[in-house]
């Protein structure tokens, strides 16, 4: 079992920055790739970024956030971060972190555990 809790969302002006945190509890954290997805009402969850298991250094990003967002994981703190810079109004969504056993995936349906989400609102 793995429990995930997101934090760090809020209201920010366009061009600003936020850092989201995903705190995980569970002894198998290291074996899971951790990803961030986002969702706006009426739309499917969109892949944002993912970090590979252990300290692989493997990362992947959605096209819309490449060059602006950075994912990192602190295994000692069992926490994954999403640094979001140069935010745009279209980044407004509920952001979720999710865990997938062993490998990175861009498909939400493949993830095993989910947090409850944190709201990010970017004003123009």
């Amino acid at each position: 079992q793995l429990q995930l809790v997101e934090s760090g969302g809020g209201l920010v002006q366009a061009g600003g920055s936020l850092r989201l945190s995903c705190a995980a509890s569970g002894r198998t954290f290291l074996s899971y790739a951790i990803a961030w997805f986002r969702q706006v009402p009426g739309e499917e969850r969109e892949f944002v970024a993912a970090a590979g298991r252990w300290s692989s250094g493997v990362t992947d990003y959605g096209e819309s956030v490449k060059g602006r967002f950075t994912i990192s994981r602190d295994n000692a703190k069992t926490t994954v971060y999403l640094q979001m810079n140069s935010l745009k109004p279209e980044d407004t969504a509920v952001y979720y972190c999710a865990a997938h056993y062993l490998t990175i995936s861009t498909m939400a349906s493949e993830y095993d555990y989910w947090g409850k989400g944190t709201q990010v609102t970017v004003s123009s």
Side-chain angles (χ1 to χ4, degrees):
Q1 285 285 345
L2 200 64
Q3 291 80 43
L4 304 173
V5 179
E6 304 93 338
S7 62
L11 174 65
V12 64
Q13 288 188 334
S17 298
L18 280 176
R19 188 177 79 159
L20 305 184
S21 299
C22 173
S25 59
R27 291 179 291 176
T28 57
F29 172 77
L30 290 176
S31 298
Y32 284 82
I34 306 294
W36 288 94
F37 288 81
R38 65 188 182 186
Q39 189 171 26
V40 297
E43 297 185 11
E44 294 185 354
R45 289 189 181 183
E46 176 191 6
F47 172 74
V48 175
R53 65 189 176 116
W54 295 92
S55 300
S56 65
V58 174
T59 58
D60 194 10
Y61 294 91
E63 286 298 324
S64 62
V65 305
K66 281 183 179 178
R68 299 188 298 122
F69 291 10
T70 303
I71 190 170
S72 61
R73 62 187 294 163
D74 184 334
N75 289 329
K77 296 182 178 179
T78 63
T79 300
V80 174
Y81 303 99
L82 184 68
Q83 179 66 44
M84 305 187 296
N85 298 329
S86 302
L87 282 161
K88 305 174 182 180
E90 50 264 43
D91 294 318
T92 295
V94 177
Y95 283 71
Y96 298 90
C97 67
H100 182 236
Y101 188 60
L102 295 183
T103 61
I104 284 178
S105 173
T106 62
M107 298 179 62
S109 60
E110 294 189 355
Y111 280 77
D112 306 297
Y113 300 102
W114 290 85
K116 294 183 178 181
T118 186
Q119 176 71 46
V120 171
T121 303
V122 183
S123 63
S124 57

